[in-house]
Amino acid sequence: MRKILAVLLPLACVLALAGCGSDSSDDPGSDASDEPVLIDITFSGSTVTPSGDRVKVAVGQTVELHVKADEPGEIHVHSTPEQEIEYDAGTSEHDLTIDKPGIVEVESHSLDQVIVQLEVS
């Protein structure tokens, strides 16, 4: 009986300790919401792309708008509080975050067009 316990006790300890290891998916440093969401926006004449695409974003996650435009303009973000992003002709980058869950429309008022819908959760 002692021989069996001498073998089983260390084995039980090893198995118990193996269960205490951390899974990398539980590591807050590896959370996908730590990475910014990149959205490329192109204004050309009276058109903009994307055109109404839905993009999933975590609450508080950084959204990087990469804007390429043939003339200056403004992007309106229907968040709470609302945000207005002015851009110049050429290429520019703009960061924003949304602090409340829901669907947030990002649009061009001058073109009367939704660029993207941010699905914030």
Side-chain angles (χ1 to χ4, degrees):
M1 185 69 156
R2 283 187 168 172
K3 288 182 182 181
I4 294 173
L5 286 176
V7 171
L8 291 179
L9 186 60
L11 181 60
C13 290
V14 168
L15 292 175
L17 289 174
C20 293
S22 68
D23 182 5
S24 63
S25 65
D26 293 335
D27 181 10
S30 67
D31 188 358
S33 66
D34 288 346
E35 295 294 320
V37 172
L38 307 175
I39 300 174
D40 292 319
I41 300 172
T42 302
F43 291 94
S44 180
S46 62
T47 63
V48 61
T49 55
S51 179
D53 294 355
R54 188 165 282 196
V55 178
K56 291 186 178 192
V57 179
V59 171
Q61 184 174 15
T62 300
V63 177
E64 290 183 7
L65 303 179
H66 294 229
V67 178
K68 183 177 178 183
D70 55 358
E71 56 186 63
E74 184 177 275
I75 295 171
H76 194 105
V77 182
H78 290 276
S79 57
T80 303
E82 293 193 0
Q83 302 176 55
E84 295 178 356
I85 300 169
E86 293 184 16
Y87 57 88
D88 295 322
T91 304
S92 58
E93 294 183 13
H94 309 273
D95 291 348
L96 63 102
T97 57
I98 309 298
D99 296 326
K100 296 182 181 171
I103 303 297
V104 176
E105 289 189 339
V106 178
E107 67 180 355
S108 167
H109 279 240
S110 63
L111 297 177
D112 194 28
Q113 186 171 342
V114 174
I115 301 166
V116 294
Q117 294 178 328
L118 302 176
E119 185 178 334
V120 185
S121 59

